[in-house]
Amino acid sequence: MSDQGSGTVWVVALMAVIWLAAIGTMVAGGVRAARHRAHAAADGAALAAAARAAEGPAVACRIAAVVATGTGARVTRCTLGIGGGLDGTGWSEGTGRSEGAGRSEGTGRSEGAGRSEGAGRSKGAGSGQTAYVSVVVIYRGPAWLGTLRIPALARAGPAMTDPSGHASPPTGGSGDLPSGFP
């Protein structure tokens, strides 16, 4: 039995393993980047909504949708809560809510400002409200992986006003969400 050509087989096998490892690393990197983009979009949208909470939930959630769209995300839920007092469903009484703000296009970016339910000012709108925003980023991977929806949640607020009526920047981030917020 001859071993002639076995080195070629081993080199081809090693190249295949290296190629598969490289593909796996690139896919993992893409998913991780999409996750970071989703969290950044949620944080920005929540901050924008909290900053505009005094204008009512419809305006605040519409602004959140515009900010999220600019980062390639789509708002799936947006609500304003007074003092973070959310009920078990994750929604407060008398708050605005936006669902499906925008539609996903082939690029994974979102278009449109979306629709808002509960238009107008909610009871107690203004300072003291916390914005809760849920977004999704679409990641289109290789054919064998398909399309992934990367969700992220964030809260921001309340945006307090000083005696002159100017709003201070809201506070918040991706952590510390209420247990009922999906």
Side-chain angles (χ1 to χ4, degrees):
M1 195 145 85
S2 171
D3 286 339
Q4 193 173 13
S6 66
T8 302
V9 172
W10 281 107
V11 168
V12 169
L14 181 62
M15 287 173 45
V17 168
I18 291 171
W19 182 78
L20 289 174
I23 295 293
T25 301
M26 288 189 298
V27 168
V31 170
R32 185 177 174 110
R35 187 182 62 122
H36 286 294
R37 189 167 34 124
H39 283 284
D43 287 344
L47 287 168
R52 300 294 290 268
E55 298 175 45
V59 171
C61 290
R62 188 171 47 249
I63 294 300
V66 169
V67 169
T69 299
T71 59
R74 181 175 61 91
V75 171
T76 55
R77 285 196 175 179
C78 175
T79 188
L80 300 178
I82 300 183
L86 297 179
D87 62 15
T89 65
W91 301 108
S92 291
E93 290 299 315
T95 61
R97 160 179 152 179
S98 174
E99 292 194 23
R103 69 180 193 278
S104 177
E105 294 295 320
T107 62
R109 296 186 67 84
S110 180
E111 293 182 359
R115 72 186 194 298
S116 178
E117 299 172 10
R121 294 183 181 269
S122 70
K123 183 178 178 184
S127 73
Q129 289 196 339
T130 302
Y132 297 91
V133 177
S134 171
V135 302
V136 67
V137 169
I138 305 298
Y139 173 74
R140 299 192 196 301
W144 53 268
L145 181 61
T147 301
L148 298 176
R149 293 172 44 95
I150 313 285
L153 309 170
R155 70 163 179 80
M160 300 299 188
T161 56
D162 62 17
S164 65
H166 295 96
S168 64
T171 60
S174 297
D176 248 4
L177 291 171
S179 61
F181 194 73

